[in-house]
Amino acid sequence: IFGIYQTMAKPYGSGVYFNYNSQRCEITKMSKDIDYSDYIGIPGAVVYIDRYKGAIVIKNLDNVVVEEVKKDGDIIDLLSTFKIGSRL
């Protein structure tokens, strides 16, 4: 998923979107951090919430760290919106 983000993220691509609670959200900042271990879980699920960075870790092959998401052009609070086990 990190490779898709690098290819599709703005300003060069059309953006990376997902639907959450029937609302379209855009991932505007994502990283691949080697400090996080490989998690076992359902792909696309939140497996860790990093309160220090204000980010969430999503289970997939890369264990990507989502740092910023926008809904309707506004940045949403990841820590209060997503819980461990939430699926994107």
Side-chain angles (χ1 to χ4, degrees), residues 21-38:
N21 290 338
S22 301
Q23 296 186 355
R24 184 175 161 153
C25 299
E26 177 187 9
I27 298 174
T28 53
K29 189 172 181 185
M30 177 189 286
S31 65
K32 184 177 169 185
D33 196 335
I34 59 172
D35 291 338
Y36 296 100
S37 61
D38 289 334

Side-chain angles (χ1 to χ4, degrees), residues 3-57:
I4 293 171
Y5 172 76
Q6 288 179 313
T7 304
M8 297 299 296
K10 292 180 180 179
Y12 304 112
S14 59
V16 178
Y17 299 93
F18 64 94
N19 288 323
Y20 188 73
N21 290 338
S22 301
Q23 296 186 355
R24 184 175 161 153
C25 299
E26 177 187 9
I27 298 174
T28 53
K29 189 172 181 185
M30 177 189 286
S31 65
K32 184 177 169 185
D33 196 335
I34 59 172
D35 291 338
Y36 296 100
S37 61
D38 289 334
Y39 288 95
I40 297 172
I42 300 169
V46 175
V47 291
Y48 182 72
I49 296 174
D50 189 334
R51 297 193 186 285
Y52 178 73
K53 292 183 178 180
I56 56 175
V57 178

Side-chain angles (χ1 to χ4, degrees), residues 27 29-33 36 39 45-58 63-69 75-84 88:
I27 298 174
K29 189 172 181 185
M30 177 189 286
S31 65
K32 184 177 169 185
D33 196 335
Y36 296 100
Y39 288 95
V46 175
V47 291
Y48 182 72
I49 296 174
D50 189 334
R51 297 193 186 285
Y52 178 73
K53 292 183 178 180
I56 56 175
V57 178
I58 307 299
N63 287 331
V64 296
V65 181
V66 175
E67 300 171 1
E68 186 177 277
V69 173
I75 297 172
I76 63 171
D77 180 20
L78 298 174
L79 303 182
S80 65
T81 304
F82 299 100
K83 308 291 183 232
I84 293 191
L88 303 187

